[in-house]
Amino acid sequence: MKVVKFGGSSLSTGEQVKKVVDIVLSDPERKIVVVSAPGKRHPSDEKITDLLIACGKKILEHDSETEILNEVIQRYILIANELGLHESFTAEIRNSFLQVLQKDKSDSVMFLEALKASGEDTNAKLIANYFQLRGIEAHYINPKDAGLLVSNEPGNAQVLPESYHRLADLSSHSGILIFPGFFGYNEQGEILTFSRSGSDITGSILANGVGASVYENFTDVDAVYSVNPSIINQPKEIREVTYREMRELSYAGFSVFHEEALIPAYRAGIPVHVKNTNNPFAPGTRIVNEREQRNGPVVGIASDKGFCSIYVSKYLMNREVGFGRKLLQILESFGLSYEHSPSGIDDISIILRENQLNSEIEKQIINYIKEELHADEVKVEHGLALIMIVGEGMRQNVGTTARASKALAHAGINIEMINQGSSEVSMMFGVKEVNERKAVEALYQEFFVGVLV
C-alpha cells in the first residue's frame, strides 16, 4: 500500500485535480491520498490558506471579511465547475465555510486554527466527490474519525503516539481514502494545525500508521535538486538521498520538505519518493535510510540568510566550568534560541536568527554577558548567511573541508566561521549575506560540475 500526498500547486485548478486523479488511478497500490488546500495558479496568485488567515484576522478585528471569503469560495466553486461537480456540492462548499465562521471566537487562536484547516478539509471533500463522479469508490476521511490526535500547540501541533495504532485501521477500509492534510484534533475534539507545509507531515504520519510500502510526495518539480535552482541554472538532480541528508538540507533552506515532515516515515523505515504531478513519469528522488556512497562526498548545498553571531572572548575560557551553560542561560532569559555555537580555547560564537534581536535587546545582552561572565570582548555581527554542504560521504572522505575552503578563497570570499555537525553529515560556513550567491556558486562548481549525481 502506498500513501500519496499532493501539494497545493498540484491541486490549484480543475485540470490539476484531473491529473492527480489519473496519477492515483494509474497505480492500484495508491490507496490513501493526502491533499493540501489549493495553492497558487500563477506567481502573483495567493494560496487559499493565506486567504483564510487574512479572512480570519479581519473577522477578529470586527472588519468586513466578505470580499476575501467570497474569493475563497469562488476558487473552490471554479474548481468544482471545471470538474463538472453537481450544483448541490457547490452549495455545500459555501455552507461549510459559513459554518466555520459561526464558531466561537472568544478564543481567537482556536478560531483561526479551525478556519485555516477548513482549506484542506473542503478540498478533501471536493476531491473525494470527483473520484465518485468518475465512478471510483472513494471516501473522505475526517482526521478526528481516523484517530489523528495531536498536542495542544496551535500552529505547531505534534502527533501523539497513540495516533499510529488508531490510524492503522485505515488499511482495512475499501476504496480510495481522501485525507485532508495539515491538521488533527486534540483530546478535547478541537482542531490543531501542524506548522506550515503541514500536509507533508500528515502524509508521513499516515505512512507510518498504516505501514505503507512507500510514501509518495507529489509536488511541482521533477526531483530534489542538489542546489537552489534560482542560484544555479539547471542544477543536477538528486536521485537518492538519506533521511539524515534531507533533514540537514531542509533545515538549511531547502523548500521541498519541512524539516519535521520526514520524521514519522523515517522512524518507520518507510522510503519517501518525491515526484512531479506535471511529469509523473520522471524518476524523481528517493529518500531512504541508507544509500550507496558514490559520486563524491557532497549530495547537496543549501543556504539561508538572516543570521547574526554573538562573539564572546575570555582568556582561559576553556578552564572555566559552566561558562557555556551560563552564556546560554543569558540568551534563554531573553527568550532567544540559537542555531550553532562554534568555539575555540578562549572564544565562542553563538549563531542565531537576527530577527530575534533589536538594538535595545542587543545592548542589554552585551552588557549582561560582560557583567555576568566578565568577558574580555563581546560583539554582535549582523548580516550573515549560512552555507551548508551535506553528504553522508564526508564521513569517509578526507579533504572535504580543504576543498570547500579553497573554492571559497578562490572566489574571494572570506569565511566568517566554520562548524561541522557531530554527525559529520554536514558542514556549515558562515559568510556575509552579500556573498551568499557567490559562495554557493563556488561550492557547486567544486563539488558538482563534471560529477554525475
Side-chain angles (χ1 to χ4, degrees), residues 314 316-330 348 372-373:
K314 184 179 182 181
L316 297 181
M317 177 195 298
N318 64 315
R319 296 187 185 180
E320 187 172 332
V321 176
F323 187 92
R325 173 182 55 80
K326 292 173 186 175
L327 176 58
L328 294 180
Q329 281 182 333
I330 291 172
I348 184 171
E372 295 293 316
L373 302 181

Side-chain angles (χ1 to χ4, degrees), residues 178-423:
I178 314 299
F179 202 105
F182 189 39
F183 72 96
Y185 287 80
N186 64 12
E187 292 176 324
Q188 291 72 48
E190 300 169 308
I191 292 174
L192 276 301
T193 65
F194 299 119
S195 53
R196 289 302 292 264
S197 300
S199 293
D200 289 336
I201 300 174
T202 302
S204 189
I205 291 168
L206 290 178
N208 181 313
V210 302
S213 60
V214 65
Y215 167 34
E216 294 183 320
N217 192 296
F218 278 82
T219 180
D220 55 4
V221 294
D222 279 348
V224 177
Y225 295 107
S226 55
V227 71
N228 188 337
S230 69
I231 296 178
I232 302 294
N233 185 39
Q234 296 183 322
K236 294 184 182 296
E237 297 177 356
I238 302 173
R239 289 284 168 254
E240 199 167 61
V241 60
T242 68
Y243 281 109
R244 287 182 293 272
E245 291 168 332
M246 194 65 223
R247 176 160 164 72
E248 293 280 356
L249 290 168
S250 297
Y251 159 76
F254 267 39
S255 60
V256 175
F257 276 110
H258 186 282
E259 60 184 278
E260 297 175 15
L262 297 174
I263 294 174
Y266 164 70
R267 287 175 176 163
I270 297 166
V272 177
H273 199 173
V274 180
K275 294 178 72 67
N276 189 349
T277 303
N278 300 313
N279 187 19
F281 297 108
T285 299
R286 284 176 59 83
I287 306 171
V288 295
N289 277 329
E290 303 290 340
R291 68 177 179 88
E292 289 185 29
Q293 302 303 322
R294 54 190 179 187
N295 302 326
V298 177
V299 73
I301 303 169
S303 64
D304 201 5
K305 295 186 290 189
F307 294 94
C308 67
S309 70
I310 301 176
Y311 171 80
V312 182
S313 177
K314 184 179 182 181
Y315 183 59
L316 297 181
M317 177 195 298
N318 64 315
R319 296 187 185 180
E320 187 172 332
V321 176
F323 187 92
R325 173 182 55 80
K326 292 173 186 175
L327 176 58
L328 294 180
Q329 281 182 333
I330 291 172
L331 298 184
E332 182 183 359
S333 70
F334 284 88
L336 303 179
S337 61
Y338 77 101
E339 305 289 328
H340 302 276
S341 58
S343 63
I345 298 173
D346 296 324
D347 49 29
I348 184 171
S349 291
I350 305 295
I351 314 300
L352 63 160
R353 297 275 179 181
E354 63 182 344
N355 59 9
Q356 300 180 88
L357 296 179
N358 57 40
S359 57
E360 183 59 33
I361 292 175
E362 182 177 320
K363 187 185 301 181
Q364 291 178 34
I365 288 173
I366 291 173
N367 291 335
Y368 205 165
I369 293 173
K370 286 181 177 179
E371 292 170 6
E372 295 293 316
L373 302 181
H374 308 291
D376 299 326
E377 182 182 7
V378 182
K379 62 181 180 181
V380 177
E381 184 173 2
H382 292 278
L384 296 178
L386 299 186
I387 316 295
M388 190 88 78
I389 61 173
V390 176
E392 299 265 8
M394 290 195 294
R395 289 189 284 191
Q396 293 86 33
N397 192 277
V398 176
T400 305
T401 305
R403 288 179 63 186
S405 300
K406 184 178 179 181
L408 293 174
H410 282 173
I413 298 167
N414 184 52
I415 300 173
E416 305 294 328
M417 68 198 70
I418 301 176
N419 191 34
Q420 181 161 18
S422 58
S423 67

Side-chain angles (χ1 to χ4, degrees), residues 112-134:
L112 277 175
E113 288 289 275
L115 188 57
K116 285 192 293 183
S118 65
E120 272 75 8
D121 201 47
T122 300
N123 214 26
K125 293 173 183 175
L126 185 153
I127 291 166
N129 198 291
Y130 179 60
F131 269 100
Q132 293 161 6
L133 180 68
R134 289 182 53 167

